[in-house]
Structure formats: structure tokens, C-alpha cells
Amino acid sequence: MMRKAKISDVKEIQKLINQYAKSGEMLPRSLNQIYEQLQNFYVIELNRKIAACCELFITWEDLAEVKALAVAPDYKGKGLGSALVKKCISTAKQLGIKKVFALTFQPEFFLKLGFKIVSKDVMPHKIWFECVKCPLFPDCNEVPVMKEISGAS
Ligand SMILES: CC(C)(COP(=O)(O)OP(=O)(O)OC[C@H]1O[C@@H](n2cnc3c(N)ncnc32)[C@H](O)[C@@H]1OP(=O)(O)O)[C@@H](O)C(=O)NCCC(=O)NCCS
């Protein structure tokens, strides 16, 4: 079942993300970061466990970011990741946002969902404020991908 995240999900969300952070597949999140962004999170709950999570973060008037996307190892390849990204896209559309982007180590996954690889130069400067705080800066090989949302008003 996909739903908005709740306070009681936070520790599980952190575990899910940080197991991938340990292997360098994602950036780590503190509990504080997740509490602050909790209202932006969707989760998929299966068998009373958080099987997947994702965040939609509004960057600017025409742009939002898909972040913190993680599917638990046992549930990979079953469409949960795609379902969460599609939910973020439809939420962005409802909000009237025209473009959604992600910074990812898995660009092929996003290409299948209609995203295109873009140059980092097209990203607004605001995004780099977060980047400079990251432990991987400046040698990060995350790939920026972007999708234009058709019909957004
Ligand atoms: C990447 C991730 C989110 C994909 O979620 P998922 O639920 O396993 O993916 P889905 O089942 O929705 O896959 C959708 C399609 O993308 C493909 N796909 C999934 N992961 C892929 C990858 N890493 N590379 C290429 N294609 C991939 C699937 O084969 C599927 O293709 P199909 O439609 O032709 O069958 C998930 O594997 C994950 O959490 N990985 C570890 C954490 C991570 O990398 N997160 C960062 C994303 S920014």
C-alpha cells in the first residue's frame, strides 16, 4: 500500500536509505533530515514493513526533485520504485510544477520513466548549495536527469 509517510516510519526510512549509503549507492540521511522532510515522503508498506520510500522536494517555481528513492533489497524489480516516481510526478503535476529532476547513480532506471540526462549547467544555482555541503563534493558522479511534465498548469 502506498501512502504518505508518518512519524512512526522515520527510523525504518532511515535504515532503508542508510543501508544503501553504506555501500555508496545513496547519500546518507540523518533522522533530523527525515523529520524535517517527512511531509514530502511517500512510502510503500508491505507486510507491515516499509518496502520503499521516496521524497518529492520543491526546488523552485517550475522545478521539483525526486530524492531519497530506495526500495528494500527483497522488493527490488517489482515496480515499487517506478510507482513511487510516478506518484511524485503526478503530485508535481497537481501542484502545477513543470519539471521534475533527480541526481542519480541509476540513470537507466529514470530513462525508462521518460527522464532525459541533462547537463548540470541547466540546474538552478540553488541546487548547488546542497551539493557543496555533501561529503562527495566536488567529485560526485551522480547524473542529473530531468522530465518535463506535460499538461502542468
Ligand atoms: C533503483 C531502484 C530505486 C529501482 O527500483 P525498483 O523498484 O527495483 O525498480 P522497478 O521494478 O520499478 O523497475 C522499473 C524498470 O527499471 C529497470 N531498472 C531498475 N533498476 C535499474 C537499474 N539500476 N538500472 C537499469 N534499469 C533498472 C527495471 O528492470 C524495470 O525495467 P522494465 O520496466 O523494463 O521491467 C532500486 O533498485 C533501489 O532502491 N536501488 C538502491 C538504491 C538506489 O540506487 N536509489 C537511488 C535511486 S536515485
Side-chain angles (χ1 to χ4, degrees):
M1 183 194 60
M2 191 188 298
R3 59 170 174 76
K4 296 278 277 182
K6 298 190 259 193
I7 279 292
S8 54
D9 301 324
V10 169
K11 287 178 183 151
E12 252 191 287
I13 291 173
Q14 189 196 30
K15 267 193 197 155
L16 181 55
I17 294 173
N18 286 357
Q19 71 177 340
Y20 289 121
K22 271 187 202 145
S23 51
E25 291 172 73
M26 289 182 75
L27 302 175
R29 296 292 195 289
S30 64
L31 287 174
N32 179 57
Q33 283 173 311
I34 301 169
Y35 285 125
E36 285 186 355
Q37 302 303 332
L38 193 66
Q39 294 179 86
N40 296 328
F41 269 87
Y42 292 101
V43 296
I44 296 178
E45 184 183 334
L46 295 172
N47 302 322
R48 296 191 184 173
K49 289 206 168 124
I50 302 300
C53 67
C54 189
E55 174 189 351
L56 179 73
F57 182 83
I58 299 174
T59 312
W60 207 244
E61 76 173 322
D62 58 350
L63 191 63
E65 180 176 4
V66 172
K67 301 174 80 164
L69 172 63
V71 177
D74 290 351
Y75 293 101
K76 277 184 178 179
K78 298 179 193 295
L80 304 190
S82 308
L84 283 168
V85 173
K86 284 179 188 162
K87 181 69 185 176
C88 288
I89 292 168
S90 69
T91 301
K93 187 172 178 175
Q94 278 167 9
L95 288 163
I97 290 169
K98 294 197 174 68
K99 288 178 285 185
V100 175
F101 79 99
L103 296 165
T104 182
F105 297 123
Q106 308 291 348
E108 290 82 7
F109 165 77
F110 282 94
L111 294 183
K112 290 205 159 164
L113 290 163
F115 285 73
K116 294 199 169 89
I117 294 175
V118 292
S119 158
K120 287 190 180 175
D121 307 339
V122 307
M123 298 291 181
H125 287 144
K126 185 173 176 234
I127 290 163
W128 306 115
F129 283 112
E130 197 173 333
C131 280
V132 292
K133 289 186 259 168
C134 171
L136 299 181
F137 185 82
D139 299 316
C140 135
N141 42 22
E142 283 192 321
V143 179
V145 291
M146 180 102 81
K147 182 177 167 85
E148 307 230 349
I149 303 173
S150 54
S153 54

